[in-house]
Amino acid sequence: MKKRMRVLGLVLAGALCASACAGCGSNNSSSSAGSTVAATNENFNKEGLPIAKNTITLNVLTTRWGSMGDTFTKNQWLVDLEKQTNVKIKWQVQSLNDWSEQKSIMLASGELPDIIIGDQTFTSEDIVNNQDLFQPMDDLIEQYMPNYKKALAEYPQIKKVSIFPDGKMYSLAKNLPSRPSVRNQPIINKTWLDKLGLKAPTTVDELENVLKAFKEKDPNGNGKADELPVIGTNKSLNLNLLDPFMEADPYDTNFVLESGKPVYKYATAGYKEGVKWLNQLYKEGLIDTEAFTADDTMDTAKNQDANTARVGFTYAWTPDALFGKWSSQYEAIAPIAGPDGTKRAGGDPDGYSSITGNEVEITKTCKHPEIAARWVDQFYTNEASIQNFWGAIGTVIKKNSDGTYELNDPPAGTSADAWYWDQSLRDFGPKYVTKDFQSKIKLSSKSGDGLKLEISKLGEQYLQKDFFPNNIMHTAEEYAEMPTLATDLGNYANATLAKWVTKGGVDAEWDAYQKKLKDMGLDKYVKIQSDAYNRYLQAK
Amino acid sequence: MNRKRSWAQAAQYAGGQIRKNWGLYLLLLPAFILLICFSYKPMYGVLIAFKDYHNSLGIVGSAWADPWYKYFVKFFNSYQFWPTIKNTLILSLYGMAASFPLPIILALVINQMRAKRFRKLFQTVSYLPHFISTVVMVGLILIWLSPSTGLFSNICRGVGVQQVPNLMGTESAFSSLYVWSDVWQHTGWDSIIYVAALSAVDPSLYEAATVDGANRWQKMCYIDFPMLLPTAVILLIMRVGSIMSLGFEKVYLMQNNLNLGASEIISTYVYKIGIISSQYSYSAAINLFNTIINLILLVAVNQISKKLSDNSLW
């Protein structure tokens, strides 16, 4: 019996080796095709339209949220573009739900589509770690992309987010129109304030008093003490609550700038003060006891309680998505001043998230990089950009005779935002809108993008111009270290935050906390971020 | 059988056996192919634990890590090393201690029920929770334990306790919540195999016991229990086989910043490092280390059981 088992084992081992070799074969066979910019191409027009003399097909991959589908490819502008350029596009639209697994398979196979669109599709980390799969764009931009070249010259910011550590551009950036400069803002229940005869709070002390009144004086008038002045967001607290105490981190990088230097957000003096204040609010019963344990659905159940409004104060983009049928009770207010009297708002003077990198990549698989480059360049004009952000002129956008642009009302039963996603590439994809063109776009201030622009004005003058940018580039060596450091430190900081807010003890444990962060490699993490930030500043 | 047969002879012998029983081997073939495809072929992937894995180079093409055990050392020196191992062991040992004997007891109780209809009903009710999915189950736990509106807090208030603790936010309560919710969910289901084993007991044994004047309790102790023992030992060894690969989903879903100290186990850490921050080599090394500990435990328990009870997997 034992012998027979051994034979079986031998067979298994043989099969194992065979399959391992099969694996190596398939991995190596896919060497990167496509050289750099092809010298001459009979079918290619260097200027003017069409781009290709005879129709040519390119594969384009993009990602979208959830199951939004690919109706946007029927956008009249894209249909016209196909006719004008002789470039037929085969769209490959992937849902971001399962993209992270798909992505690994695609990168491992080395077989990529010709053009990749969308900043969520491939991150800087993916590009740096697989640099030989992507076409450096510098020469292409110089020769074939006049629109993008203009954008680079006009907006230094665009160049900054697209230069990789080796000095080349492997991806193109975008600049979205009509983005608000302030990100999340304080939102308070105005109906409750009016009922109790209170003014909108301007300082942390006033806010504390208002929250106390919300808790004790039954502002929703149902006779029960069911008001929750502040609740959590999916098993944590909204970190914007610390805005009055510390420098802004609008892009959630976990870093803030203190006198020009990147500092770990969870190790600053302002953070300590802020946590102390949150602990005080918690002790007074002003923060929901379930703030750190309730999941998203439980939070929504409180925000949109069927019987009555129950939540007093939060930070958000706009009130409407959060509070459902009670949203008319809520109003955005100006930033709350911290103990030192400073009001701070987190965001971006250039328009929050209007400029992001990695919007377009051309791969080494692409056999006609010059045609791809000229096709992509068509997107970088003002009119093309707004049509790829909201929808085509004639369907979604109305062009007025005085040269201004307006948005039509969405069809009955559709929300404005859903309609835009249906009709355009929306947030993802190549776009560039100049500063003076922005003023020609007229938006309704009642909903969606226009409403956000309107409430953003409350915080604009307090906007912090010094913040740690997103889209800064790291080297492959830095990417090998950083994720583990970020995960470990983040885990520890978040667990300690939860403990300090609910049980207190910031003062007593602060030094030990700082020491443990250092032991876990904080200095290394800060050094990586500082190096990357310095490179970002020096990029020209 | 000649013990010193050469390899060639062995192969010949095996070939002869296969030819003789080809029908049986044919039946084995589909399972064998599945095993190769889904269990053995993916195994070469563990190579990435020893390599600086690079997506575009593939598993074989990536360079060897320098030194080859680099990622293991990184984990040994990590701040997460002891906490994650401790939490994994606590959860799995506690879980085994609680959920191993209970199905046996339940099966013995079910076996004693006389009224057939009641017995069926009782069994069905006890294994229904098994069909609740993990996500729904955690949702139920969260809602039941919510200190403001949950079932638990209402019961507490009913008996006069005003300050209801937030159990989901209590580090020391995490392992108990995890284990006992699992027990509630699966005990009924797990008892099925024991009930089946008991139904195979020869009725003449009971009759003989009755003649000898044994009462119900004595029958349980001297007939039912010894009959269950071999099944129980095999099941126990098989459970040890997966002791370190705790269900990842449930722990991850129950995790929050207040109970992180007790709820960060190896598999949740691997998920965060490997999938979310794409450190494939590092997370593969952690997982491989986890598997090795598990293998050692499995072999040890198997040997112990062989010595003590003559029951073993191999």
Side-chain angles (χ1 to χ4, degrees), chain B residues 130-151:
Chain B
H130 175 77
F131 297 102
I132 302 174
S133 81
T134 310
V135 177
V136 174
M137 185 65 209
V138 175
L140 287 176
I141 297 177
L142 284 176
I143 292 169
W144 285 341
L145 295 181
S146 152
S148 55
T149 54
L151 184 73

Side-chain angles (χ1 to χ4, degrees), chain A residues 6 16 24 104 108 129-130 235 289-290 292-293 295 479-480 483-484 487-488 491 494-495 498 502 516 519, chain B residues 7 32 40 54-56 60 74 79 142 146-148 166 169 253 255-258 260 264 269 277 279-280 282:
Chain A
R6 202 178 288 165
L16 197 66
C24 68
S104 308
N129 286 335
N130 301 280
K235 299 186 180 178
T289 46
E290 291 168 27
F292 291 98
T293 50
D295 65 6
Y479 276 129
T484 325
T487 309
D488 288 357
N491 261 357
N494 279 320
T502 53
K516 180 143 186 208
D519 288 345
Chain B
W7 275 105
F32 185 66
Y40 283 90
H54 213 284
N55 247 330
S56 57
V60 177
K74 189 173 170 187
Y79 255 86
L142 284 176
S146 152
S148 55
N166 187 358
L253 289 167
Q255 208 168 61
N256 60 50
N257 285 330
L258 281 170
L260 201 63
E264 187 80 308
Y269 185 61
S277 351
Q279 300 282 295
Y280 301 117
Y282 185 40

Side-chain angles (χ1 to χ4, degrees), chain A residues 37 53 62 65 91 134 148 210 212 252 281 307 316 380 419 431 464 481 510 529:
Chain A
V37 187
K53 285 171 193 144
T62 186
W65 300 114
W91 288 95
F134 298 93
Y148 192 68
V210 165
K212 250 187 232 166
D252 297 328
L281 294 190
N307 303 316
Y380 282 102
W419 195 40
K431 279 166 203 79
Q464 292 219 278
E481 292 266 13
W510 183 254
Q529 294 288 46

Side-chain angles (χ1 to χ4, degrees), chain A residues 114 130 155 225 320 374 401 406 529:
Chain A
D114 300 306
N130 301 280
Y155 243 123
D320 43 335
R374 285 207 62 204
S401 49
E406 270 177 76
Q529 294 288 46

